[in-house]
């Protein structure tokens, strides 16, 4: 998650991707450090890239839709998102290991379920990435700035 936008809610210090609020809110001192790091920053060129892989059999149009829905998951994790300063990209891959359903209604219901799951999975992947990342050089990671909010 290398985004132009911020993964941190400036009011609470929580990660936007923590949609179920599993992580504790950072204390005030850590929130100040997060605000300084993720607050008003000059625009930068950045990109968040991800892949959604399914065992479903998808058409090219369905795979494109799946990738688009991945961006919805990304938008839950980063704000603001999709600026002219970033190159956020989601790829969708379908192995076709699971046979397509014959009944059009069942296929539509299953595809909608896949889309919902894909958005949630992408948000959760952003959360995992943000909690796992360590800082490097002058770039400090969330876990460096808010250690009390990251699981051991």
């Amino acid at each position: 998650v290398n985004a132009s936008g911020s993964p941190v809610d400036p009011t609470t210090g929580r990660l936007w991707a923590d949609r179920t609020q599993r992580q504790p809110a950072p204390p005030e001192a850590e929130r100040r450090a997060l605000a300084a790091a993720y607050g008003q920053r000059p625009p930068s060129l950045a990109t968040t890239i991800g892949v959604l892989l399914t065992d479903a059999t998808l058409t090219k149009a369905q795979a494109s839709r799946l990738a688009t829905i991945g961006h919805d998951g990304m938008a839950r994790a980063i704000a603001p998102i999709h600026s002219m300063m970033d190159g956020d990209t989601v790829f969708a891959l379908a192995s076709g290991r699971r046979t397509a359903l014959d009944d059009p209604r069942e296929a539509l219901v299953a595809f909608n379920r896949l889309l919902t799951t894909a958005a949630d999975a992408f948000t959760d992947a952003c959360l995992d990435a943000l909690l796992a990342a360590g800082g490097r050089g002058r770039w400090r990671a969330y876990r460096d700035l808010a250690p009390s909010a990251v699981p051991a």
Side-chain angles (χ1 to χ4, degrees), residues 18-110:
D18 188 13
R19 56 195 170 87
T20 59
Q21 296 190 353
R22 291 179 283 181
Q23 308 311 127
E28 182 61 33
E30 291 178 3
R31 284 198 305 269
R32 284 193 303 273
L34 289 164
Y38 292 109
Q40 297 295 333
R41 299 180 295 179
S44 65
L45 299 175
T47 285
T48 299
I49 299 174
V51 175
L52 291 166
L53 171 63
T54 179
D55 63 352
T57 298
L58 299 180
T59 65
K60 184 176 179 179
Q62 288 172 320
S64 177
R65 183 68 177 158
L66 183 63
T68 299
I69 294 299
H71 282 277
D72 292 350
M74 189 186 305
R76 295 176 188 166
I78 304 164
I81 190 74
H82 300 125
S83 75
M84 299 309 292
M85 299 300 291
D86 56 37
D88 301 334
T89 303
V90 178
F91 297 95
L93 304 172
S95 72
R97 294 183 73 180
R98 194 165 5 114
T99 308
L101 298 172
D102 291 330
D103 181 280
R105 181 164 166 35
E106 286 181 20
L108 183 62
V109 169

